[in-house]
Amino acid sequence: MPPQRRSPRDARGPAVRRGRGAESGRESGRPPRARRRASHSLESVLTETVALLDEHGEAGLNFRALAGRLGGGVGSIYWYVSSKDELLDRASDHVLADVLAAVAEVGGGDPVDDLRTIAVTLFDAIVDRPWLGAYFMRNTLVQPNALRLFETLGQQALRLDLTARQRFHAVSAVVGFVVGTAADLGQEPPAEVLSGEVDRDEYLAATVEQWRQLDAEAFPYLHEIADEFEAHDDTDQFRAGLDLLLAGLRLQAGG
């Protein structure tokens, strides 16, 4: 749905009356001032918003910083969005346009394999932009691309011998696993890794050493997977989990 355009004055509420009031211009014979239109486009607003989020995360996004990048006033941004929340929702949807373009030719092959391809593409996008997972499909009224992506996943499920409820659960499970896992991988690393005190491998090695010191009878699973955890690759682990989920879906569909 296209954004409702408004003037910066409208976004702040009614004009504050000063001196002789809002009609003073007409009373003095001066013509009323024309409303200034924003000099940039919604596309440029969203492009710069995404750039700010990529560089500094959500904490670094504010209208003053965005206006500085756009070369205009803060009020001009309100021409396109009513709040920071709406800006974040639209920015995430802006990124999803690239995901949709990347999977535009997917479909017509094995439906479970096609589901996997779309899921991996979405996962990669969220891993590249950790802020994206928090706003995926948060408000589909202003996120048409999120809705189209959900529909694209659903259309693959329509090709499987499932009930409507099973399809809904299947697509929801895939989206939940993809977004949740990608968001988890996008978390800030521990302070000692972030500061450079230790690297990732050293941190994992220390964690595993702690596990090995635990009582083997009380923690048999941790002892068994300690070596796997120390050498694991996050992306491989995600793909293995996705394959397990999709294998269950294939069985449910009679395949």
Side-chain angles (χ1 to χ4, degrees):
M1 185 174 72
Q4 181 179 357
R5 295 189 172 184
R6 67 177 99 192
S7 76
R9 286 170 65 90
D10 293 337
R12 294 196 300 268
V16 178
R17 294 179 180 270
R18 295 183 180 176
R20 297 171 59 190
E23 301 297 322
S24 60
R26 266 177 278 175
E27 292 172 6
S28 65
R30 294 193 304 271
R33 291 167 57 184
R35 186 176 68 180
R36 293 186 62 188
R37 182 186 176 94
S39 61
H40 32 259
S41 65
L42 177 60
E43 175 77 17
S44 63
V45 169
L46 296 180
T47 297
E48 292 301 330
T49 299
V50 170
L52 264 174
L53 288 166
D54 287 348
E55 293 168 17
H56 305 293
E58 183 184 343
L61 175 65
N62 59 72
F63 280 21
R64 186 175 299 279
L66 180 57
R69 295 179 75 113
L70 290 165
V74 171
S76 66
I77 299 170
Y78 286 104
W79 184 273
Y80 301 104
V81 296
S82 61
S83 65
K84 181 178 177 179
D85 273 352
E86 183 183 346
L87 181 61
L88 285 162
D89 288 334
R90 290 189 182 278
S92 68
D93 205 57
H94 187 67
V95 171
L96 293 178
D98 292 335
V99 178
L100 279 171
V103 300
E105 302 301 321
V106 176
D110 177 82
V112 175
D113 289 344
D114 288 345
L115 267 170
R116 186 181 191 277
T117 298
I118 299 167
V120 169
T121 304
L122 176 59
F123 173 83
D124 290 342
I126 298 176
V127 168
D128 287 343
R129 292 186 159 104
W131 55 268
L132 178 59
Y135 302 100
F136 177 76
M137 288 195 73
R138 187 174 74 157
N139 182 2
T140 56
L141 292 175
V142 294
Q143 293 179 313
N145 290 325
L147 205 55
R148 291 187 188 101
L149 187 57
F150 194 61
E151 172 67 21
T152 301
L153 287 162
Q155 287 181 11
Q156 313 317 311
L158 282 172
R159 297 159 56 204
L160 295 168
D161 185 15
L162 300 168
T163 66
R165 174 169 290 187
Q166 288 171 331
R167 290 189 185 99
F168 172 61
H169 288 168
V171 174
S172 297
V174 170
V175 169
F177 180 72
V178 169
V179 175
T181 305
D184 181 59
L185 293 181
Q187 290 181 344
E188 285 283 337
E192 52 265 54
V193 176
L194 195 60
S195 68
E197 182 181 340
V198 297
D199 62 23
R200 177 183 181 274
D201 291 342
E202 291 171 329
Y203 181 82
L204 291 180
T207 300
V208 168
E209 183 58 31
Q210 178 194 24
W211 292 3
R212 291 192 177 111
Q213 301 304 315
L214 297 171
D215 182 76
E217 291 187 3
F219 296 92
Y221 171 72
L222 288 181
H223 273 266
E224 183 183 46
I225 60 96
D227 290 341
E228 295 294 332
F229 179 79
E230 185 173 6
H232 84 278
D233 178 85
D234 291 332
T235 300
D236 287 345
Q237 191 174 32
F238 159 74
R239 295 189 182 215
L242 179 63
D243 287 344
L244 284 171
L245 193 161
L246 294 177
L249 175 60
R250 193 182 293 278
L251 287 173
Q252 187 177 54

